[in-house]
Amino acid sequence: MNIILLGPPSVGKGTYAKMMSKIYNIPHISTGDMFREAIKNKTEIGLKAKEYVDKGELVPDDVTIRIAEERLKQDDCKNGFMLDGFPRTIAQAEALDKIVVIDRVLNFTASEEIIIDRISGRRVCKSCGAIYHIRNIIPKVKGVCDKCGGEVYQRDDDKPEAVKERFIVYKKQTEPLIEYYTKKGILRSINAEWPIEQVDNVIADARKALEE
Ligand code: ADP
Ligand code: ZN
């Protein structure tokens, strides 16, 4: 199954995508993770993306479409994939439609208040991308990833100024995708307001929407 996860910044897409990619045994493809990796390794794409990512702006479509297309061409995507953070603009969605057929779009929703709280408390592992939260997903040793021992830090774009910018960008550029996929009849909305301890409720709803 070819799946897209939509939703405002930090609604929890990355967490849900990781869980569902295990359940369905399909790769989790996050353009945000790919850009962070490229920036860390100072590749050509990383150097191009850095200024945008740090400010919370979108990386230009041509660069983003290119890395997403290359990733989708790989063998492990043959039986399906879960896209997280792509597409984020109508132009990206149109480019995607030219190369694959999308079966389902899950649109995760939560109030702005809940989302801001999640973003400001979020911490991530620099090495493996595992996601933590200062109040309710705390690593056993402060600043150290439980899974790989990597450094747990706050992304620059999770700091308040960039968060504000990401919301503005989301509303303007990404929200129109809800209508785009609703018109195709493949979008389902999932309530993502559950506290993290009850993430299983979100996953259960998402599975229902995928298996109906
Ligand atoms: P979030 O936690 O807001 O979902 P991501 O980890 O998906 O953030 O993305 C982080 C940053 O990477 C974005 O703010 C943007 O600069 C860049 N990025 C990721 N995906 C895309 C995309 N599809 N188009 C343009 N820029 C992107
Ligand atoms: Zn880690």
Side-chain angles (χ1 to χ4, degrees):
M1 194 152 31
N2 299 341
I3 305 162
I4 293 173
L5 306 186
L6 266 189
S10 220
V11 70
K13 288 191 300 289
T15 302
Y16 314 138
K18 285 192 176 84
M19 294 174 76
M20 287 196 290
S21 123
K22 282 204 193 102
I23 294 171
Y24 291 105
N25 197 24
I26 50 176
H28 164 210
I29 300 174
S30 157
T31 42
D33 284 349
M34 289 164 74
F35 283 134
R36 281 186 288 279
E37 183 69 22
I39 291 169
K40 194 170 79 186
N41 296 328
K42 301 200 165 66
T43 64
E44 187 207 326
I45 283 191
L47 295 174
K48 276 194 193 132
K50 185 172 172 28
E51 56 173 313
Y52 301 99
V53 173
D54 283 352
K55 277 189 273 181
E57 290 169 7
L58 292 188
V59 178
D61 281 336
D62 58 334
V63 180
T64 308
I65 290 168
R66 185 151 54 96
I67 66 157
E69 275 182 357
E70 272 168 28
R71 180 66 189 86
L72 289 169
K73 267 193 242 152
Q74 288 169 23
D75 255 10
D76 62 337
C77 295
K78 273 204 309 265
N79 297 320
F81 51 78
M82 185 154 297
L83 279 173
D84 163 16
F86 182 91
R88 255 190 172 79
T89 64
I90 295 283
Q92 291 177 14
E94 287 169 351
L96 184 63
D97 277 340
K98 290 200 183 111
I99 56 168
V100 286
V101 175
I102 298 300
D103 301 301
R104 265 279 174 276
V105 178
L106 300 181
N107 177 39
F108 294 95
T109 61
S111 72
E112 208 151 305
E113 215 185 321
I114 289 189
I115 291 166
I116 300 230
D117 175 70
R118 283 186 192 164
I119 302 194
S120 53
R122 173 162 72 177
R123 301 292 182 271
V124 294
C125 171
K126 230 175 204 163
S127 306
C128 76
I131 299 165
Y132 297 92
H133 190 284
I134 49 169
R135 266 204 322 282
N136 42 28
I137 325 172
I138 306 164
K140 291 197 189 76
V141 179
K142 191 167 187 282
V144 181
C145 176
D146 291 343
K147 299 197 173 87
C148 79
E151 181 196 342
V152 173
Y153 80 120
Q154 182 174 40
R155 280 166 37 183
D156 280 338
D157 61 338
D158 280 349
K159 294 178 179 158
E161 270 318 297
V163 168
K164 242 185 263 158
E165 177 63 24
R166 278 159 66 204
F167 260 96
I168 295 169
V169 169
Y170 168 75
K171 288 239 158 78
K172 196 161 138 217
Q173 312 235 59
T174 308
E175 222 167 44
L177 291 178
I178 295 175
E179 195 192 336
Y180 182 88
Y181 289 116
T182 299
K183 277 190 181 147
K184 291 181 188 287
I186 57 175
L187 183 130
R188 300 290 180 273
S189 284
I190 309 289
N191 171 13
E193 289 209 332
W194 298 91
I196 188 70
E197 298 79 16
Q198 293 171 50
V199 61
D200 287 349
N201 290 319
V202 182
I203 300 299
D205 284 351
R207 293 185 69 171
K208 252 184 251 158
L210 292 175
E211 288 162 20
E212 73 186 5

